[in-house]
Amino acid sequence: MGLVITPEDLQAAQAFHGNVCLGLPLGLRAGWEALAALEVPRSADKELTAIVEVAPEQFSHCFVDGIQWITGCTVGKNNLQFARLGKFALTVVDVESQQAVRVSFRAEFLEEFLQWPPVAAKSQHQKGYHPAPGEVAGIQSILDRPVEEMFRVQRFATYPVIGSPMDWTHVRCTDCGELVIGSYAHQSGDGAWCPACWDHHVHSSAQI
């Protein structure tokens, strides 16, 4: 598979994400390299699972939307998983064959990326900074750069994936009356409480 992230693809991904940003093309490129290394197409349903290593506090979470758009692995389909390791890396697994590829950005590239004026301005919280047209156009250079300058690619012959089991059970919360899936409900006595109401129930029942 050759590199085929066209300007039209980038524009469509930006529309999916909601704006022109700097982390999105990182996810597009990493996801594409994983698909190319596995020699598989974008996931139409749940043929693939993507495991993303970003952390909740990490900058440029836009990276994740790039991965969702290019791989077809999404939160809604439950085939996008998070391993919260604080890294710009992902593993894409072919569910049927259990073969997988992990793509991680080389430290030298990310250090260079962090010095790119639009990224540096954002990290330094510079208000009112507007990137020049050439800087925004430079996003395309991320999509065209040689893979060996950007990534470390690891291959796994066997990479079992354990997905989250679907819980179809549900109960009505004794306090708020809303439905909550059974595995998240707290059962006590004659009632069942959702996580949001459980602490209130426990504290209001405490005896001094």
Side-chain angles (χ1 to χ4, degrees):
M1 296 172 67
L3 182 60
V4 190
I5 303 177
T6 66
E8 291 76 21
D9 290 332
L10 176 60
Q11 187 175 19
Q14 289 168 340
F16 166 77
H17 178 59
N19 60 40
V20 176
C21 73
L22 307 168
L24 180 76
L26 295 181
L28 289 174
R29 183 66 194 276
W32 179 260
E33 292 300 339
L35 295 180
L38 273 176
E39 298 184 339
V40 294
R42 184 179 191 272
S43 184
D45 188 17
K46 296 186 178 183
E47 299 87 356
L48 305 175
T49 293
I51 303 166
V52 186
E53 298 182 16
V54 297
E57 305 84 0
Q58 197 162 338
F59 64 94
S60 288
H61 257 252
C62 319
F63 175 72
V64 179
D65 274 359
I67 291 168
Q68 290 191 99
W69 190 89
I70 200 74
T71 66
C73 300
T74 65
V75 173
K77 288 193 295 191
N78 204 29
N79 61 343
L80 182 81
Q81 299 180 7
F82 288 91
R84 292 172 168 82
L85 301 177
K87 298 182 178 183
F88 285 108
L90 81 150
T91 300
V92 175
V93 186
D94 184 325
V95 175
E96 183 175 357
S97 70
Q98 294 193 336
Q99 296 182 41
V101 167
R102 180 178 182 268
V103 175
S104 58
F105 283 94
R106 294 189 179 278
E108 295 82 3
F109 170 79
L110 283 180
E111 288 169 348
E112 177 188 334
F113 176 77
L114 289 171
Q115 297 304 313
W116 190 19
V119 180
K122 192 168 184 178
S123 69
Q124 295 164 12
H125 307 288
Q126 293 182 20
K127 296 182 178 180
Y129 175 85
H130 299 287
E135 291 174 331
V136 175
I139 288 173
Q140 187 64 39
S141 68
I142 295 175
L143 306 180
D144 297 335
R145 193 156 176 171
V147 59
E148 61 273 9
E149 294 182 12
M150 295 180 66
F151 299 107
R152 181 183 179 212
V153 179
Q154 299 167 277
R155 301 172 187 271
F156 302 88
T158 305
Y159 198 108
V161 173
I162 301 174
S164 301
M166 293 292 101
D167 186 348
W168 292 90
T169 65
H170 58 272
V171 296
R172 188 187 295 263
C173 177
T174 302
D175 277 3
C176 68
E178 297 177 358
L179 290 184
V180 57
I181 63 171
S183 56
Y184 274 68
H186 295 270
Q187 307 278 350
S188 178
D190 296 329
W193 285 264
C194 71
C197 294
W198 176 246
D199 283 348
H200 172 72
H201 167 71
V202 171
H203 293 153
S204 65
S205 302
Q207 296 183 2
I208 298 176

